[in-house]
Amino acid sequence: MHPSCNDGVVDADANSKNAEETGNVPLAVARDDEQQPVVEYCQVLIIGAGVCGLQCAKSLFVDGPLKDEDVIVLEARNRVGGRVLTREYKVPVVGVSQPPGEGGVSSTNDETATTSRNGDVGRAQTLWVDDGAAWVHGVDPIPWADANDTFHPGESRFKILKNPILDYLHPTNDLNRVVRGNPWTRPYTVLHRTQNIAIYLQKQQQQHAAPEQLQDQQSLSENGKKGGALSTSTGLYAQQAMIFNKSTLPNDNKKKNNKKKTNNKVIHNSIRRHFQILRRVDQQVKTMYNNGEQMQANCKVSLLSSLQHWNRKLPVRSTDAETAKTILSLTSFYQHMLTCWQGFSLNEIPISQYGDVRLDPDDDRNRNYSDSSESSEDDNEGQGKSNNSNDDNNYREDVGGDSGDALWDDEEFDQDGDFVGSHCTIRGGMHKVVQALCTPQVRNRIRLEQEVVRIQRVTSAEQPPHSLPEEKDGNHKDYNVRVETKSGLVVYTKSCVVTIPVGCLRVTHETLFADTTPLSSEKQEAFRHLTMGRYKKVFLTFEYIFWPAQPAFLGMILAENDDDQKRPCNPLGTSLLVDNLWARDGYPCIEAILAGDQAVWATHKADQVIRDTVLDFLQAAMNIPPETTNLKQLCSDCHITRWEEDPFCRGAYAGISMGGSTRHCEALRSPEWGGCLRFGGDASSFEFEGSVPAAIFSGRYTAQGICDFLGFETEQHQRRLGINGDTTPTQRLLQVAPDFPIYEEHKWKELPQEAKEAAMVLGFNQQMWDRNEEPHTSNKDWRRLTSEEKSAAAVLGYNKERWNKS
């Protein structure tokens, strides 16, 4: 199979080589050095052929007014797509009909092996795996309105902002709908309630039964059935270690047995504790802002320090020491999932980024969670004592019922970067989006393997002795930017778009823009505060499937170290998230996610070291005795992504570091040098930062800015770019926020009709408006507004940031 694990020196260009060998990512044809001109001229030069660069080029001369020869795209790699890279695997399919034997699987249910591809069992099938961006985060549109839009009679003032990835996919044929929401921030409703996660917890003192004894034991998977009988002890021990697979929720219409009720209580109380901690973090931010400590909340207090503080202060509601340890371990795992969502270590995330959950003022969960607010009752429970005579009778109260508790409605914990609806993967990989963007016209204008080393502003005295044929009349003949590549190519252009990842700009901007007009201080500050997250994927292939095939995720938890035992600590910590998206189709493959500190540890480590460490983690968490089955011998293939070591991105996803804010995103996308130099990419959008939609949006509005600079301002062209019409809110949302008409100083009679209608949606009437009385919606956080309320607020000039600050 390809590629295989190696224990030698890490090849930083492995991603590019794999793409070239498989040919699954569209490549532009590089010109031979002797054929390539030393100097080229164009109206627009785009640096970078990632998603943003390709979208910008497509918007300019495929959908826009420019001609093909007006645009040149330079790409440092030997492929296009940037951090979108899909690999082709040849993997044999295994299934329930595979003959049992050493290394085989035989199961009587679908918990451990799938029957969906029995006809392909034993055959090598093509499997597309995304090394980079892989998820479509939501497929449903977001209603949005812009007060600056012009509406025709009979036209709705409410526009629709949809996930732009869907512009390049067929929603039925191309999407695999995996979960119904954000699984990383909403583990209860999205994962547990839909049976999309199985969690394994290492036992500190293991007493393994013999395989023949385990055949008839009850699985700990909460499904009420016996675990499937496996032909080796590997799957048996894995099932013995599993503490949660299928969810059995409290239901008055069904009678639950005591064991399932107990297991549910552990999961529910763990989730409940996790959400309580997040609420305390939120209240801590509110208190700091009310005390005038905004700078400290954004620059000095990390999410990790706040979580650690409240982990210590918040007691565990359990009378049993083992159960209390399990709840603590599960809480830590749910917090680790936040790291997997962000791609950053929790100590790199300012607490202010998680402090915008605003509960209703009459909700007792919105009380002031100060250090002294913990009751003596909580302290007693934290010490293992119970003030309740019958703990089971208070079960429903502890875990939450059907009365709106966040266990049942946890949308308040969603994070930025999401559209609503199902989270999906793409059949055939994310490179389908790149293929759609890299049309033949765009491909012909790409120069591969052209690493840019210098960007300079050209003065009138430094003009080259050349002008474009259509401009020999003397109009607009001056070039504004000179770009030089490592191979010696020089390009003179009227306007330049830089889509180099911010991780590279942090390191190279001083060299790139040396000996020229300096960039603004705001731009240089943005380079320092915008950064790249760390996110490694360890794709493992085994000889057979020994884990549940149906859940989309597997959670692996190691027991906390006891000081008296002094057991060696796994470098990856105590929590590991595993994507399990292939076993349900018969592929014996899983993908371990190393995010934040885990990815920091793995950077520059040899593949063999990372592979063995991950397998040791799986072996320990699943309680598989190595003398019985060694996962290192069972693993037949391993591939590890290396975005952190890639010199052309230096990280996986863009984000804001400690001390950063939305103004740094705005500063990054603001034009320089009189408008002839612009920056784009996934770092330029605070709302969708670090995502493929952010890169697509950035490419579109950057193209609009270039056209405005060059003098193309027709309404027809704007609509062709996709800036007006259904996607108008995209540009409004991602550009520097314009001065919307806020009507605070207007009397009701002075309001335009659409503003009156929007005010009524928010709860105003004429008397309340003229008396400056607050409607009921003023106490809601932006996230808790309905779609109609958000659209109405936008008509009055509010976006998310302005609403939450008001």
Side-chain angles (χ1 to χ4, degrees):
M1 289 182 288
H2 172 78
S4 60
C5 176
N6 70 79
D7 55 358
V9 179
V10 171
D11 184 358
D13 292 327
N15 291 334
S16 299
K17 293 179 180 178
N18 291 337
E20 186 177 22
E21 292 170 6
T22 60
N24 62 337
V25 176
L27 299 178
V29 179
R31 301 181 179 180
D32 296 334
D33 291 340
E34 61 271 18
Q35 296 178 342
Q36 193 169 40
V38 177
V39 180
E40 290 199 52
Y41 305 87
C42 62
Q43 293 200 53
V44 183
L45 174 66
I46 301 172
I47 301 176
V51 171
C52 178
L54 294 174
Q55 176 65 73
C56 185
K58 183 176 183 295
S59 297
L60 286 172
F61 64 87
V62 177
D63 303 326
L66 275 68
K67 300 177 181 179
D68 295 12
E69 58 267 24
D70 293 336
V71 180
I72 294 176
V73 182
L74 300 181
E75 170 56 48
R77 294 183 176 92
N78 67 342
R79 62 171 181 86
V80 301
R83 280 163 286 153
V84 172
L85 176 61
T86 307
R87 290 179 296 106
E88 180 183 9
Y89 263 102
K90 294 294 184 181
V91 181
V93 177
V94 298
V96 297
S97 63
Q98 182 176 351
E102 186 175 358
V105 176
S106 177
S107 178
T108 58
N109 60 16
D110 63 354
E111 281 300 303
T112 316
T114 181
T115 62
S116 61
R117 298 180 62 93
N118 276 344
D120 296 330
V121 168
R123 301 178 182 176
Q125 300 292 325
T126 298
L127 180 63
W128 299 98
V129 180
D130 284 304
D131 274 7
W135 288 90
V136 179
H137 296 292
V139 296
D140 296 335
I142 303 173
W144 195 268
D146 187 340
N148 285 351
D149 285 344
T150 301
F151 300 98
H152 302 287
E155 182 182 6
S156 172
R157 69 176 182 275
F158 296 139
K159 301 291 185 177
I160 296 297
L161 178 64
K162 67 177 182 179
N163 193 327
I165 294 179
L166 302 181
D167 292 341
Y168 306 107
L169 299 173
H170 190 286
T172 302
N173 298 334
D174 292 336
L175 292 180
N176 290 312
R177 297 176 183 259
V178 180
V179 289
R180 66 182 187 185
N182 189 326
W184 302 275
T185 62
R186 299 172 56 196
Y188 188 77
T189 57
V190 174
L191 294 182
H192 285 309
R193 290 189 69 187
T194 58
Q195 307 168 15
N196 264 309
I197 189 169
I199 297 180
Y200 296 84
L201 176 64
Q202 179 190 24
K203 305 297 181 182
Q204 290 207 20
Q205 294 181 349
Q206 304 178 33
Q207 294 183 357
H208 298 293
E212 59 272 12
Q213 294 175 316
L214 290 174
Q215 293 281 350
D216 297 325
Q217 285 190 4
Q218 180 79 15
S219 170
L220 300 183
S221 61
E222 292 194 53
N223 58 5
K225 301 176 183 179
K226 293 185 178 182
L230 307 184
S231 59
T232 67
S233 61
T234 305
L236 293 168
Y237 286 116
Q239 290 191 12
Q240 185 188 33
M242 190 191 305
I243 65 169
F244 184 82
N245 182 14
K246 284 200 171 183
S247 174
T248 51
L249 305 176
N251 190 327
D252 293 335
N253 298 326
K254 294 183 180 181
K255 193 172 182 180
K256 309 296 179 184
N257 61 48
N258 291 333
K259 181 170 184 177
K260 285 191 281 188
K261 185 175 181 179
T262 302
N263 285 340
N264 267 318
K265 187 175 181 181
V266 172
I267 295 296
H268 289 187
N269 280 340
S270 301
I271 290 283
R272 182 176 186 270
R273 186 172 186 275
H274 172 59
F275 288 162
Q276 287 175 332
I277 290 174
L278 290 184
R279 289 197 182 97
R280 283 157 172 77
V281 171
D282 166 62
Q283 186 61 42
Q284 182 180 349
V285 175
K286 288 184 174 67
T287 302
M288 295 179 71
Y289 270 69
N290 292 335
N291 295 338
E293 300 173 347
Q294 296 94 328
M295 187 64 69
Q296 185 176 0
N298 197 52
C299 300
K300 295 184 179 180
V301 182
S302 69
L303 179 60
L304 177 64
S305 63
S306 181
L307 290 175
Q308 289 176 337
H309 171 79
W310 292 114
N311 273 322
R312 293 191 299 267
K313 301 296 291 185
L314 187 66
V316 179
R317 296 178 179 273
S318 175
T319 59
D320 179 75
E322 277 302 314
T323 302
K325 288 183 179 180
T326 301
I327 292 175
L328 288 172
S329 297
L330 286 167
T331 304
S332 178
F333 173 76
Y334 297 134
Q335 292 173 1
H336 172 71
M337 293 184 71
L338 298 179
T339 298
C340 295
W341 167 244
Q342 293 285 343
F344 289 86
S345 304
L346 296 182
N347 61 358
E348 298 176 301
I349 302 174
I351 185 179
S352 57
Q353 288 193 20
Y354 272 77
D356 55 356
V357 179
R358 183 182 304 173
L359 299 174
D360 294 333
D362 56 349
D363 193 329
D364 60 2
R365 293 173 294 179
N366 198 28
R367 63 188 179 92
N368 183 20
Y369 296 116
S370 62
D371 290 355
S372 60
S373 66
E374 305 300 339
S375 64
S376 58
E377 177 183 347
D378 286 343
D379 292 337
N380 290 336
E381 289 182 356
Q383 297 170 5
K385 301 177 182 178
S386 175
N387 294 316
N388 299 323
S389 58
N390 189 340
D391 193 50
D392 284 342
N393 291 337
N394 293 277
Y395 169 66
R396 291 282 296 226
E397 179 182 355
D398 285 346
V399 303
D402 299 311
S403 58
D405 190 282
L407 286 177
W408 305 88
D409 182 14
D410 54 8
E411 291 185 1
E412 63 180 281
F413 297 100
D414 265 348
Q415 294 300 312
D416 290 336
D418 268 335
F419 289 85
V420 295
S422 300
H423 284 226
C424 311
T425 57
I426 301 176
R427 298 187 183 102
M430 187 66 74
H431 79 284
K432 282 189 174 182
V433 177
V434 175
Q435 288 176 327
L437 290 170
C438 193
T439 65
Q441 287 175 275
V442 173
R443 188 178 309 179
N444 290 335
R445 302 307 299 164
I446 298 175
R447 311 287 185 264
L448 293 177
E449 298 181 321
Q450 294 293 341
E451 180 182 355
V452 172
V453 296
R454 189 66 52 86
I455 304 174
Q456 294 176 309
R457 189 173 187 180
V458 180
T459 65
S460 57
E462 299 171 333
Q463 292 296 314
H466 179 84
S467 61
L468 294 176
E470 63 270 22
E471 297 178 338
K472 288 184 178 180
D473 57 0
N475 294 326
H476 307 290
K477 69 178 180 180
D478 287 348
Y479 294 97
N480 299 306
V481 182
R482 178 185 183 274
V483 175
E484 183 179 349
T485 70
K486 194 173 184 179
S487 66
L489 173 65
V490 175
V491 180
Y492 285 92
T493 181
K494 288 186 175 183
S495 56
C496 180
V497 177
V498 179
T499 68
I500 298 173
V502 71
C504 295
L505 291 174
R506 281 170 60 96
V507 178
T508 63
H509 73 273
E510 293 182 353
T511 303
L512 279 175
F513 298 96
D515 303 324
T516 188
T517 303
L519 300 176
S520 64
S521 58
E522 292 81 6
K523 187 79 68 181
Q524 297 182 51
E525 182 182 349
F527 291 154
R528 293 192 297 270
H529 286 92
L530 299 175
T531 185
M532 299 291 286
R534 290 167 289 275
Y535 194 95
K536 288 188 178 297
K537 300 179 180 181
V538 183
F539 191 80
L540 301 168
T541 303
F542 295 90
E543 294 180 5
Y544 58 88
I545 301 172
F546 57 88
W547 59 91
Q550 297 306 314
F553 297 90
L554 306 176
M556 303 291 168
I557 303 174
L558 296 186
E560 295 284 351
N561 289 331
D562 291 337
D563 293 337
D564 54 343
Q565 293 184 4
K566 299 186 183 298
R567 292 183 291 105
C569 178
N570 191 291
L572 300 180
T574 60
S575 298
L576 183 66
L577 183 65
V578 178
D579 291 352
N580 183 34
L581 306 176
W582 305 275
R584 62 181 63 180
D585 290 326
Y587 297 107
C589 305
I590 55 176
E591 188 173 74
I593 303 300
L594 308 185
D597 290 335
Q598 295 174 334
V600 171
W601 169 85
T603 301
H604 299 302
K605 292 284 194 306
D607 281 8
Q608 189 74 35
V609 174
I610 300 173
R611 168 188 179 272
D612 290 350
T613 303
V614 170
L615 291 174
D616 287 341
F617 198 112
L618 299 179
Q619 185 120 23
M622 300 177 81
N623 290 322
I624 302 174
E627 62 273 12
T628 303
T629 302
N630 192 328
L631 294 188
K632 295 177 184 178
Q633 298 176 358
L634 203 61
C635 180
S636 58
D637 190 59
C638 172
H639 174 75
I640 302 170
T641 61
R642 296 283 182 176
W643 299 112
E644 293 76 18
E645 294 96 326
D646 190 326
F648 302 128
C649 60
R650 300 178 184 268
Y653 304 107
I656 301 176
S657 62
M658 291 287 293
S661 66
T662 57
R663 66 182 178 88
H664 294 115
C665 296
E666 296 171 356
L668 179 66
R669 61 178 175 254
S670 62
E672 296 278 334
W673 297 351
C676 66
L677 178 66
R678 293 177 179 268
F679 292 79
D682 63 327
S684 62
S685 163
F686 178 73
E687 290 282 350
F688 302 97
E689 191 174 40
S691 67
V692 174
I696 295 176
F697 286 152
S698 178
R700 290 176 180 175
Y701 73 69
T702 302
Q704 173 64 45
I706 290 296
C707 288
D708 291 343
F709 174 77
L710 295 175
F712 298 97
E713 299 178 350
T714 64
E715 180 180 351
Q716 179 183 7
H717 168 239
Q718 292 179 350
R719 291 190 179 276
R720 290 182 67 187
L721 282 177
I723 299 302
N724 284 346
D726 289 344
T727 57
T728 299
T730 299
Q731 186 219 14
R732 305 303 184 194
L733 186 64
L734 299 179
Q735 282 183 318
V736 179
D739 294 328
F740 288 163
I742 303 295
Y743 300 102
E744 293 176 350
E745 302 300 324
H746 291 65
K747 295 296 185 181
W748 182 266
K749 293 181 179 180
E750 300 172 346
L751 295 176
Q753 183 60 32
E754 65 174 6
K756 290 181 181 179
E757 294 175 2
M760 287 188 289
V761 170
L762 294 174
F764 284 103
N765 55 35
Q766 180 174 355
Q767 186 178 19
M768 293 176 62
W769 183 274
D770 291 338
R771 292 182 179 182
N772 291 325
E773 296 177 359
E774 298 284 347
H776 68 280
T777 55
S778 63
N779 293 319
K780 288 186 177 182
D781 181 82
W782 181 266
R783 298 177 189 277
R784 294 174 66 84
L785 294 176
T786 65
S787 299
E788 186 179 11
E789 289 169 345
K790 288 181 180 178
S791 299
V795 170
L796 296 179
Y798 290 97
N799 56 20
K800 176 182 176 182
E801 183 178 3
R802 284 176 175 158
W803 179 271
N804 289 340
K805 287 182 178 179
S806 64

